[in-house]
Amino acid sequence: MSTYPISTLHEEAAGLYLEGVSLATLAEQYGTPTYVYSREALTVAFNAYQAALKGHRARIFYAVKSNSNLAVLNLFSRLGAGFDIVSGGELARVLAAGGDAGVVVFSGVGKSEAEMRQALRAGIRCFNVESAAELNRLAAIASDMGKIAPIALRVNPDVDPKTHPYISTGLRSNKFGVAFDEALTLYRRAATLPGLRISGIACHIGSQLLDPAPIAEAADKILGLVDQLAGEGIPLDHIDLGGGLGIRYKDETPPTPAEYLAPLLARFAGRSEEISLEPGRSLIGNAGLLLTRIEYLKPGSEKNFAVVDAAMNDLARPALYDAFHEVVTVSRSDTATQRYEIVGPICESGDFLAHDRELAAAPGDLLALLSAGAYGMTMSSNYNTRPRAAEVMVDGTRTWLIREREQIADLYRGEHMMNAD
Ligand code: LLP
């Protein structure tokens, strides 16, 4: 058992290994910064959900936004996942990765007309509709195309997920979903609109949840509504409880999928609806790390800085949420241990990856930022005209370059100067 949050990461005499691959060798081969993922770790994470759901009418819709690399999507598809998407771009990725539109659910408050048409043409499984205005638009477009749009209303259950305010989504004050009190009226209305087929109900209360109680509370509210709807002759076929299960970054002790799901499955006993889930972070977060090299050490009177070749454009979570990612040296060094601010080359004081970490490291050494598989690469940018990192999948002793490092010229392709006059 690994002592790291990434179960397939371990130490050998030659330094850190992910599965059977030395991170130092990997850095030589692919350069840095590079995101590295473990096929085994993501498979184990997915299978833990599958095992917990065995014997139940249930399906997992992997949240594409957490990591949308085609190889990752393809692996999850082969494991039997459906997909939760939030844009036409994500739908295109799922299809390009060999995924089946029939197991795609489409969430998000701002679906454009073009995205609705694209999803209807592809034949997705369900639109998670987030407002009355969206419902009207979807009914009109589906009718115009001669199609029937399967829908669920995303209902905001108004429970506090007790997580970071930027990633809690199920409170009344959030922009997400239809207010709980308005859901019934909107379902009645949906039942009268052309071009729609009412299929289910959805909610998602937040991310990095470490306590199963809030989602169980949300489920109680949702199930009450489902029964009320059935009483009115609007039966539902599936109940989507969203994603949100947290992971260990530092010393958190999140429930296992089985522990998280137990109170939910108990509530579904004897019911016929399918339970749908949209996990992202808990499937891929601890299957990935960001490999970076120290450019300079910069001792100071107040703080010592380790300037690395990855930056906030590669991993935005520390700057954006003050998120913690464990930082480990890839090889043992005999230099003295110091406390460092781990910072990138970007011209912003907010460009930090970690604060106040004890490291024995020298310039040129490699560091790994752990638990970076989810919301790492997908939130990266080109700020400071920095090419985005490469991505590599490790599979036993083999490695696959699953995304090439961007080239500088890629960054201004499509830009044009004005005419000289
Ligand atoms: N379903 C819906 C409708 C969502 O909005 C989300 C995440 C998920 C599923 C997946 O949640 P997960 O299982 O990954 O917690 N960028 C932030 C996280 C934002 C989450 C947004 N919605 C971070 O880096 O922590």
Side-chain angles (χ1 to χ4, degrees):
M1 184 60 192
S2 176
T3 54
Y4 301 106
I6 302 176
S7 62
T8 51
L9 186 68
H10 64 277
E11 211 178 321
E12 294 194 11
L16 280 183
Y17 275 63
L18 190 63
E19 300 191 23
V21 176
S22 140
L23 292 183
T25 308
L26 223 144
E28 289 303 321
Q29 193 175 349
Y30 299 104
T32 52
T34 292
Y35 275 98
V36 191
Y37 309 113
S38 158
R39 178 182 185 171
E40 186 185 329
L42 74 81
T43 304
V44 165
F46 187 83
N47 288 342
Y49 269 94
Q50 289 292 66
L53 293 169
K54 205 171 161 105
H56 297 271
R57 195 177 160 225
R59 190 184 276 279
I60 294 166
F61 297 87
Y62 167 66
V64 173
K65 65 170 83 69
S66 60
N67 186 322
S68 57
N69 184 286
L70 296 192
V72 171
L73 300 180
N74 177 261
L75 284 177
F76 281 125
S77 178
R78 285 195 270 158
L79 288 168
F83 298 97
D84 166 47
I85 61 161
V86 290
S87 70
E90 288 189 349
L91 175 56
R93 280 184 175 277
V94 167
L95 300 179
D100 172 6
V103 286
V104 167
V105 298
F106 193 169
S107 305
V109 294
K111 300 175 194 79
S112 70
E113 182 170 335
E115 287 174 323
M116 286 178 175
R117 286 185 184 275
Q118 178 192 358
L120 282 165
R121 263 195 311 273
I124 66 163
R125 172 178 136 125
C126 193
F127 289 83
N128 290 349
V129 173
E130 304 218 14
S131 66
E134 184 190 335
L135 193 70
N136 290 339
R137 177 186 273 186
L138 184 59
I141 290 173
S143 303
D144 179 56
M145 292 174 72
K147 302 248 186 212
I148 301 290
I151 64 141
L153 291 186
R154 174 164 172 193
V155 175
N156 188 334
D158 196 27
V159 301
D160 184 355
K162 301 189 180 73
T163 181
H164 190 287
Y166 283 16
I167 51 177
S168 83
T169 44
L171 281 170
R172 201 192 297 266
S173 54
N174 293 126
K175 71 176 175 180
F176 298 100
V178 174
F180 192 81
D181 312 336
E182 290 159 28
L184 202 55
T185 315
L186 206 54
Y187 268 108
R188 290 185 190 126
R189 181 168 159 63
T192 67
L193 287 173
L196 303 180
R197 176 172 59 80
I198 297 174
S199 166
I201 190 165
C203 78
H204 169 80
I205 61 170
S207 202
Q208 185 58 10
L209 308 178
L210 296 171
D211 174 359
I215 188 71
E217 185 189 335
D220 282 335
K221 285 189 151 182
I222 298 287
L223 288 172
L225 192 56
V226 171
D227 292 339
Q228 227 175 325
L229 285 164
E232 295 204 13
I234 307 180
L236 302 185
D237 184 58
H238 74 267
I239 300 177
D240 181 341
L241 294 173
L245 174 57
I247 61 169
R248 175 183 152 209
Y249 286 97
K250 189 181 185 182
D251 47 14
E252 303 91 336
T253 51
T256 62
E259 289 162 349
Y260 178 76
L261 293 172
L264 301 179
L265 294 173
R267 285 163 169 79
F268 275 73
R271 302 191 66 106
S272 61
E273 298 92 352
E274 181 190 88
I275 174 165
S276 312
L277 299 161
E278 302 171 354
R281 189 192 315 265
S282 52
L283 291 179
I284 192 73
N286 267 332
L289 56 84
L290 176 58
L291 192 57
T292 182
R293 198 179 284 282
I294 299 177
E295 296 279 4
Y296 302 101
L297 292 181
K298 205 176 160 186
S301 55
E302 270 190 39
K303 287 178 172 172
N304 301 314
F305 293 94
V307 184
V308 299
D309 63 5
M312 67 188 284
N313 75 297
D314 299 300
L315 181 63
R317 302 191 70 257
L320 199 53
Y321 314 118
D322 212 11
F324 180 98
H325 288 266
E326 193 174 332
V327 180
V328 290
T329 47
V330 165
S331 312
R332 282 257 169 83
S333 160
D334 43 20
T335 48
T337 298
Q338 296 267 19
R339 302 196 81 84
Y340 290 104
E341 296 289 302
I342 317 289
V343 300
I346 284 183
C347 303
E348 298 253 1
S349 298
D351 180 25
F352 58 85
L353 297 170
H355 292 304
D356 202 23
R357 301 301 171 83
E358 233 170 54
L359 294 176
D365 283 359
L366 292 165
L367 301 178
L369 283 112
L370 308 187
S371 313
Y375 306 110
M377 188 64 180
T378 49
M379 291 176 72
S380 66
S381 78
N382 292 122
Y383 190 36
N384 279 204
T385 305
R386 288 171 50 84
R388 267 174 296 181
E391 291 179 289
V392 172
M393 180 71 70
V394 168
D395 182 12
T397 54
R398 295 189 299 172
T399 61
W400 302 85
L401 180 62
I402 60 170
R403 180 183 167 120
E404 295 165 25
R405 185 177 308 287
E406 243 167 3
Q407 301 296 310
I408 302 275
D410 295 338
L411 306 192
Y412 47 82
R413 179 168 301 131
E415 294 182 28
H416 304 284
M417 288 177 275
M418 294 182 292
N419 287 336
D421 45 41

